Amino acid sequence: MAEAGRILDGKAVAARVRDEVAAEVGALRARGIVPGLATVLVGDDPASAVYVRNKGITCEKVGMASFSFTLPADTGQERLAALIDELNARPDVHGILVQLPLPRHLDANHIIARIAPEKDVDGLHPVSQGLLLAGRPGLRPCTPLGVMRLLDETGRDLTGLRAVVVGRSLLVGKPVGLLLLERNATVTWCHSRTRDLGGEVGRADVVIAAIGKARAIPGAWIKPGAVVIDVGINRTDCGLVGDVEFDVARERAAWITPVPGGVGPMTIAMLLANTAAAAARMRGES
Ligand code: GUN
């Protein structure tokens, strides 16, 4: 029987990324630059509050400054836009992250577009999206960057490999496909209207699952020897599970990410990396 797939340990890789960022921050601080990240949370969604708090704690661990802004759920568009303008103008803030989703009465697109593109460490500003599409340097979204970093851990050259991305969200599916294309993979995007999802996944050398539906990809679909990156984090009666049926998929894959402990820990690590890069770039040091 073939050996079970090797685990891509996101916790361990994220810790290495944080060490690298801490070293970069040390070098910046020696030149008088303290990279600073501002997080903006509107409302009191408990899950969002936990994410934002973790971002702040991790920032401080790597020597960055963290500024946290929590606004009441009934904050108006103008008030929020005014805060973004203030943060855009502050020289000690190099990155701005507005936690999504925003309450429904706010226009998230408008708010994200208000962020100065050079401080858009989430990579969601239309300018950042355009630079990614054009293949020009810019800030890339954090979860897709985390996926690429995990793929790098396998040591595989992606050139010419068939990569199937399941999901087409602006946060993950679309940008990760573009990053794979940048590395010369042959990219297919699949989604809820794809006719033969099993057939598409079955041909893939690299599978990126970003659907948000528990175990939507049966392990039996995975091509033997493929690399499987599971971006899904789904709460079920059996705890947190990914978008891929892990146990069966692992028997077929060469490499696979667990849930939890795969892509999840990478997102904040890449956010810190983006913030350090934004701080360096603002000083023309990138
Ligand atoms: N909410 C869930 N994921 C994200 C993310 O990557 N960025 C922001 N800003 N909000 C999120």
Side-chain angles (χ1 to χ4, degrees):
M1 208 181 90
E3 229 178 292
R6 295 171 69 181
I7 296 290
L8 277 167
D9 181 348
K11 261 197 200 166
V13 179
R16 278 208 296 284
V17 171
R18 283 196 300 273
D19 289 346
E20 290 163 19
V21 174
E24 256 180 80
V25 171
L28 285 165
R29 290 180 80 115
R31 276 173 269 133
I33 308 165
V34 181
L37 172 70
T39 57
V40 179
L41 173 64
V42 184
D44 45 16
D45 176 63
S48 289
V50 171
Y51 289 138
V52 168
R53 194 162 56 242
N54 283 341
K55 284 165 188 163
I57 293 169
T58 322
C59 259
E60 280 159 20
K61 270 193 201 155
V62 298
M64 289 188 190
S66 123
F67 311 99
S68 153
F69 298 84
T70 305
L71 303 178
D74 62 357
T75 298
Q77 186 86 9
E78 288 312 308
R79 167 76 192 94
L80 182 55
L83 173 60
I84 302 295
D85 291 348
E86 235 175 80
L87 297 173
N88 283 340
R90 270 176 66 164
D92 56 342
V93 170
H94 303 92
I96 301 170
L97 180 139
V98 177
Q99 185 66 30
L100 301 174
L102 287 172
R104 272 219 298 263
H105 68 279
L106 295 169
D107 179 349
N109 285 330
H110 186 264
I111 293 298
I112 299 293
R114 191 97 175 198
I115 297 171
E118 66 273 18
K119 297 192 179 187
D120 172 38
V121 287
D122 235 358
L124 299 179
H125 190 286
V127 166
S128 305
Q129 292 171 331
L131 291 170
L132 169 60
L133 187 66
R136 288 166 53 194
L139 290 161
R140 311 298 197 218
C142 304
T143 301
L145 281 180
V147 168
M148 298 310 290
R149 178 67 189 241
L150 288 172
L151 286 173
D152 287 340
E153 291 295 309
T154 68
R156 284 198 184 175
D157 179 0
L158 300 176
T159 300
L161 296 189
R162 283 181 210 270
V164 165
V165 179
V166 191
R168 52 177 162 177
S169 70
L170 280 177
L171 221 52
V172 183
K174 276 188 194 170
V176 85
L178 291 169
L179 292 175
L180 288 160
L181 186 64
E182 223 164 53
R183 301 282 197 88
N184 305 309
T186 301
V187 180
T188 303
W189 273 279
C190 296
H191 45 80
S192 53
R193 306 292 176 87
T194 295
R195 245 183 238 160
D196 178 16
L197 184 59
E200 298 292 348
V201 170
R203 280 186 288 277
D205 304 303
V206 175
V207 179
I208 313 293
I211 314 164
K213 201 168 156 212
R215 302 193 189 96
I217 298 184
W221 284 2
I222 302 300
K223 177 165 116 172
V227 178
V228 179
I229 308 285
D230 192 344
V231 186
I233 300 178
N234 308 291
R235 251 167 252 283
T236 71
D237 296 340
C238 329
L240 288 186
V241 304
D243 291 347
V244 178
E245 186 194 11
F246 178 84
D247 295 343
V248 181
R250 187 180 179 196
E251 294 301 319
R252 301 171 66 87
W255 293 88
I256 188 166
T257 57
V259 176
V263 176
M266 296 299 296
T267 300
I268 294 184
M270 302 319 288
L271 173 70
L272 301 180
N274 270 353
T275 306
R281 211 169 284 155
M282 267 175 248
R283 287 293 193 97
E285 296 190 14
S286 152

